[in-house]
Amino acid sequence: MKLWSKEALVLGGIYSVLDTPFSLLGFEMISNVFFGLFIGSALMLCFNKTPKYLSWFITRYPQTSYYLASFGWVPYVMMLTTIAFLGSSYLITYTENFAVSFLYSIVYVGLFLSLISLIIAFVKMRKTKLIN
């Protein structure tokens, strides 16, 4: 199962970079296409098949792949959080305002966590370059 590998993190990073501008600007149709491609590629990784574009990208751009992998975990956590929230809404009745604000806050927390992860990866890369 390659879903817990570097390929999955790079896939999450590519999905984040491609999808975030479209979803924040309101182009939901394009965002849905990227989400479908992301889910399809993640399912391929579940069955130990790596998409060719992903392996090509990792071998061709190793430093960019490192940075994409640094925040590639964020879309997975955001999806799990959304699924958990929607599942808990069957047990707990939320007001409509709380539900909408919570789902919007997931997006902003994801952006913030992506920025923090990218800064940590940048500092770590600079530190290793300074040592060598």
Side-chain angles (χ1 to χ4, degrees), residues 5-70:
S5 64
K6 179 181 179 180
E7 289 91 358
L9 292 176
V10 173
L11 176 66
I14 291 172
Y15 169 70
S16 295
V17 168
L18 291 178
D19 182 61
T20 300
F22 293 113
S23 63
L24 289 179
L25 293 175
F27 298 109
E28 294 299 322
M29 186 62 105
I30 298 171
S31 180
N32 290 340
V33 168
F34 284 134
F35 183 71
L37 292 172
F38 172 69
I39 293 297
S41 298
L43 286 175
M44 285 179 68
L45 290 175
C46 283
F47 295 109
N48 288 331
K49 299 275 291 177
T50 304
K52 290 185 191 257
Y53 74 91
L54 191 59
S55 59
W56 175 83
F57 187 85
I58 290 171
T59 56
R60 178 102 171 143
Y61 305 106
Q63 189 168 1
T64 306
S65 297
Y66 172 77
Y67 289 119
L68 288 173
S70 70

